[in-house]
Structures are given as C-alpha cells and as structure tokens.
Amino acid sequence: MAIHFEWYENPVPPNQPDEKKLHARITYNGKIGTDYVRRKIQERCSLTETDVTAVLDALSHVLGQELGDGRQVHLDGIGYFHPTLKCIEEVTAETKRKNTKVRLKGIKFRADQALKNEVGAVKLKNIRHNGHSRKLSDVEIDMRLRAYFTEHQLMTRADFQQICGFMKSKAMEHIRRLRAEGKIQNIGIPTQPVYVPVAGYYGVSRDRIVRQ
C-alpha cells in the first residue's frame, strides 16, 4: 500500500519572480463512509453496529455543543477540534456593530501523535499525470461504479473523477451519458449535483436509493 501523489505548479503571482515551484498533492484512493467505519469499529470491539451508530450520533451532538460554547475538544488518540471565525466584511476600529460582522468559519482539526503513529511510516508513489484522462470502456466504468456504490450511497463529480481517473471535462461527458442512459440521477441542485444510482443499476436495489 502507498499514498499516491502528483506534482503541481501554483500560478506565479503578479510582480513576483518567475520561479516555478512544485508542490506535492495527494491523489486520493477513493473515499469511505460511515457504514464502512461502523463495520470496522464493530469488528474491533464488543459493540454492535447499532451501538456504534448511537455512539457516533451522540459524539456529533456533544462535539457540536462544546464547540458551540467556544471550547477546544480533545479526543485521546484522535486529536483536537476547535472552532474558527471569519469576518464577513472588512472591519476597522471605526466600524459600527463589529460583533455582527463575525461568523463561524469552520472547525479545525489537529491530529494526536497517537493517530499519526497508527498511520505509520507511509510509502509514497508519484503518479505521473500527463493532463489526459484514462481510457476506460463503458463496461469498465460500470464495474468501477458498481464497486463504489457497494460502499457509498452518494457520488459527486469529483468522486467520479477519482473513481475513473478522468479529467473534469471527460468526467462530465460520461456523467451526461450515464444520466441519459438512466443509470444515475441528480438528487442535488443544478449548481451542486449529487448523483445516486437508479434502481436496478450497480447492484443497488430500490429500497437503497437515496431520495432528495
């Protein structure tokens, strides 16, 4: 096993030396969901999958309450969570009603060393990307989607790119084809599509189809 990565170039900002610096970016090897994590946790302890679901749900609520009160939360062996803020517009000393210009930006996470140790010493493999999509037949794409939907309920365009190794334009071309063939459907909004399989495709029965 290895973490795959590729090199990419940041655009050179105006008035900066024309120095092309390369940065390493992970090429993710798929994505797992709660169902998979729940099963893996159940395999490692005496809890049932129902118990694990209840614990994860309770954990989400407790984290939300404590972070909402401005606390940093530490989970042993996992890491630290803390809220971050942003200003929705420029604020100066003369700005009136400054407090109304602040919103929650997000939740930051910093891993414990114990979690890093669980990951262990990783092998890195450079994926040489030539700027072109992989060549897959329609049958090969269907096989990859069937494997993906065995572990996942939803798929984004970015997920599809990773599944098939496509560039964005090629991914959109095949997504339009799959929709036209009635194999997948968008349950999101036009600007933020989220795709699910149509009943009867990719090993997904009608009762597993996610509804909007």
Side-chain angles (χ1 to χ4, degrees):
M1 299 296 290
I3 293 180
H4 292 176
F5 73 97
E6 60 185 354
W7 294 105
Y8 72 99
E9 223 176 77
N10 271 343
V12 179
N15 304 321
Q16 293 292 325
D18 186 16
E19 184 178 359
K20 296 181 178 180
K21 293 184 178 180
L22 296 179
H23 304 268
R25 173 172 56 197
I26 289 179
T27 302
Y28 290 105
N29 182 27
K31 181 173 64 176
I32 65 170
T34 306
D35 290 348
Y36 178 85
V37 173
R38 183 173 58 223
R39 288 196 300 272
K40 299 299 285 186
I41 292 176
Q42 187 272 332
E43 292 172 2
R44 290 173 171 266
C45 65
S46 61
L47 297 178
T48 65
E49 287 194 32
T50 301
D51 293 333
V52 176
T53 299
V55 170
L56 292 176
D57 182 65
L59 177 61
S60 174
H61 287 296
V62 172
L63 283 175
Q65 291 172 356
E66 299 305 320
L67 292 168
D69 284 336
R71 294 187 179 90
Q72 178 176 254
V73 179
H74 177 226
L75 299 180
D76 287 340
I78 296 179
Y80 294 84
F81 299 81
H82 67 272
T84 60
L85 303 176
K86 66 178 179 180
C87 291
I88 58 175
E89 61 183 69
E90 185 175 314
V91 177
T92 68
E94 288 72 32
T95 301
K96 296 180 180 180
R97 302 176 64 194
K98 298 181 184 64
N99 293 352
T100 64
K101 315 298 182 185
V102 182
R103 297 287 187 276
L104 176 69
K105 179 179 181 180
I107 306 300
K108 289 281 189 178
F109 172 73
R110 178 167 57 87
D112 260 3
Q113 186 59 49
L115 179 58
K116 296 178 183 177
N117 292 342
E118 284 290 334
V119 176
V122 299
K123 296 180 180 179
L124 299 175
K125 183 177 181 180
N126 180 211
I127 302 299
R128 297 186 180 276
H129 202 289
N130 60 6
H132 300 285
S133 296
R134 292 179 184 171
K135 293 182 179 180
L136 297 177
S137 68
D138 293 353
V139 173
E140 288 175 316
I141 292 173
D142 284 343
M143 292 174 61
R144 293 190 179 207
L145 288 177
R146 183 182 180 89
Y148 175 85
F149 283 118
T150 299
E151 299 290 344
H152 306 80
Q153 289 187 320
L154 307 173
M155 180 182 74
T156 65
R157 186 264 305 159
D159 292 331
F160 186 66
Q161 282 185 240
Q162 292 184 353
I163 294 166
C164 298
F166 289 154
M167 302 294 288
K168 182 178 179 180
S169 59
K170 192 67 173 180
M172 291 305 303
E173 175 186 328
H174 280 286
I175 285 174
R176 286 191 292 268
R177 174 184 63 80
L178 293 167
R179 293 184 66 185
E181 293 175 354
K183 294 181 177 180
I184 61 173
Q185 61 180 323
N186 175 23
I187 63 169
I189 60 177
T191 55
Q192 294 180 318
V194 177
Y195 303 102
V196 298
V198 174
Y201 288 96
Y202 306 125
V204 179
S205 59
R206 184 172 297 277
D207 59 357
R208 270 198 60 195
I209 298 298
V210 178
R211 299 299 178 187
Q212 187 173 16

